[in-house]
């Protein structure tokens, strides 16, 4: 029996088609969290806090509002019967559980990136110290930023692979379920390549577009517009994960 694949092209197409098909609901629902995020970002720029407690407060607010936006994105795609009121006012227990899962997955992926880059730097230093002359050492250190970029790409690929295997907990939690990371890991075992394309390659392409229009010494208005586009890009990435969850649910139910 041939295993059904996740329809990547269909998901990519639906990622853009879904918000366009109900633009009023999507724009009204996302306007609130995006406005909150932009306000926190703007306040951070204006205040430029030096105290640790104030900085932590800003980080917590930003993390909470970002989690709120992601929940809304999942609800918009997966909960056809939800009203605007229902979407904008999720259960507080769902928000707290969602934030905890976000923090755990973020910690896992960033730890993977840190370990890989640290191992590379340590291996690089040990080779230099043990085998190279002073002249060669200077030459190799000049080349290190380029090599370090390669290590960062490897770290990104591995961390996003892990994220893809764990990401199903987010749409499930947004719908009120209580999934475990183990459940997501098992549920994605036969679809890891397709999910990696969705969670790593697709957002990377969207970022390329943002990098193309960004310029140094941008005005405040330009920075605000870039921030808005960044959050819209993030919302599209979440829509893609929601649609992946929806497709996997359909595939698994078709086997019954």
């Amino acid at each position: 029996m041939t295993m059904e694949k996740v329809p990547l092209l269909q998901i990519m197409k639906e990622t853009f088609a879904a918000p366009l098909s109900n633009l009023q609901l999507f724009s009204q629902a996302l306007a609130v969290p995006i406005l909150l995020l932009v306000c926190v970002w703007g306040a951070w720029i204006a205040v430029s806090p030096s105290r640790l407690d104030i900085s932590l407060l800003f980080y917590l607010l930003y993390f909470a509002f970002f989690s709120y936006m992601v929940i809304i994105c999942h609800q918009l795609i997966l909960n056809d019967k939800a009203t605007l009121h229902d979407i904008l006012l999720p259960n507080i227990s769902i928000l707290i559980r969602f934030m905890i899962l976000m923090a755990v997955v973020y910690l896992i992926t960033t730890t993977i990136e840190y370990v890989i880059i640290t191992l590379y730097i340590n291996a690089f230093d040990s080779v230099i110290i043990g085998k190279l002359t002073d002249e060669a050492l200077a030459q190799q250190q000049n080349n290190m930023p380029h090599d370090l970029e390669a290590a960062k790409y490897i770290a990104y690929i591995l961390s996003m692979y892990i994220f893809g295997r764990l990401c199903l907990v987010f749409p499930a939690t947004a719908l009120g379920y209580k999934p475990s990371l183990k459940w997501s890991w098992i549920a994605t075992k036969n679809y890891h390549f397709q999910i990696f394309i969705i969670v790593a390659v697709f957002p990377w392409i969207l970022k390329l577009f943002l990098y193309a229009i960004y310029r140094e010494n941008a005005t405040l208005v330009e920075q605000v517009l870039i921030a808005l586009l960044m959050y819209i890009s993030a919302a599209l990435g979440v829509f893609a994960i929601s649609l992946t969850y929806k497709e996997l649910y359909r595939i698994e139910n078709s086997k019954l």
Side-chain angles (χ1 to χ4, degrees), residues 43-198:
W44 172 274
I45 297 297
V47 174
S48 298
S50 56
R51 289 174 47 182
L52 179 60
D53 55 343
I54 301 298
S55 297
L56 289 176
L57 176 61
F58 272 103
Y59 280 122
L60 181 60
L61 285 174
Y62 191 89
F63 183 65
F65 291 151
F66 187 79
S67 299
Y68 176 52
M69 186 190 79
V70 175
I71 291 174
I72 287 176
C73 289
H74 287 311
Q75 286 280 348
L76 285 168
I77 295 295
L78 299 173
N79 195 348
D80 296 332
K81 298 180 180 179
T83 64
L84 180 62
H85 180 272
D86 296 331
I87 292 172
L88 291 177
L89 295 175
N91 190 296
I92 189 64
S93 63
I94 291 178
L95 178 58
I96 293 173
R97 193 180 308 121
F98 197 94
M99 289 177 65
I100 292 172
L101 285 170
M102 285 267 287
V104 171
V105 173
Y106 176 79
L107 181 62
I108 292 172
T109 54
T110 52
T111 299
I112 290 171
E113 291 186 357
Y114 175 79
V115 168
I116 291 173
I117 293 174
T118 301
L119 288 174
Y120 166 80
I121 293 174
N122 289 338
F124 186 89
D125 288 343
S126 65
V127 170
I128 288 175
I129 293 172
K131 297 183 178 181
L132 298 181
T133 64
D134 291 341
E135 182 179 352
L137 169 58
Q139 183 179 358
Q140 288 294 329
Q141 286 177 329
N142 290 332
N143 294 332
M144 186 174 180
H146 173 73
D147 295 336
L148 189 56
E149 284 299 313
K152 288 180 179 178
Y153 279 119
I154 294 172
Y156 173 78
I157 290 172
L158 292 178
S159 65
M160 292 308 296
Y161 172 81
I162 299 298
F163 174 79
R165 296 295 304 273
L166 301 176
C167 71
L168 293 190
V169 297
F170 299 124
T173 301
L175 291 176
Y177 300 113
K178 297 180 180 180
S180 66
L181 295 178
K182 181 180 179 181
W183 165 80
S184 180
W185 187 269
I186 294 173
T188 56
K189 67 179 180 179
N190 295 319
Y191 311 98
H192 46 85
F193 176 74
Q194 295 99 318
I195 293 176
F196 176 80
I197 298 296
I198 291 167

